[in-house]
Amino acid sequence: MTNKVSVKICVGTTCYVKGNRELKKAMENLPADIKGRVEVKGVVDIDGCESGKGGENPYIEINGRVLANATVEKALSAIRKELKVIA
């Protein structure tokens, strides 16, 4: 088991336009308390993204869990929760 959180940000057109550009910037400039414990990767599609089956864009995936209607605040909260689980 790794002690890092895996984050995938959908950088497809719809997600990017609907807010994932802000998420991408936030993940590039993580707060000091979690920086170094998060691996961030941009992906073109996250399961359900194009079909909208999991909610509304934008999407982000944190350790395999898809978060729809993602915001910077929601993403950071989910990352911190996940770090507590793997601590």
Side-chain angles (χ1 to χ4, degrees), residues 2-75:
T2 181
N3 63 349
K4 290 192 177 191
V5 172
S6 170
V7 175
K8 294 179 183 175
I9 299 173
C10 181
V11 293
T13 303
T14 304
C15 283
Y16 195 75
V17 168
K18 287 194 167 189
N20 272 5
R21 64 179 166 261
E22 287 85 12
L23 275 163
K24 188 174 179 298
K25 281 183 189 176
M27 295 301 119
E28 290 169 352
N29 299 293
L30 289 165
D33 66 321
I34 60 176
K35 192 174 188 150
R37 296 193 63 203
V38 180
E39 294 176 342
V40 181
K41 179 176 167 181
V43 296
V44 176
D45 183 35
I46 290 176
D47 184 40
C49 176
E50 288 186 10
S51 67
K53 71 179 182 182
E56 294 293 319
N57 302 75
Y59 290 87
I60 189 170
E61 184 179 302
I62 301 169
N63 275 1
R65 293 187 185 108
V66 177
L67 178 64
N69 301 312
T71 64
V72 172
E73 294 79 18
K74 282 183 180 179

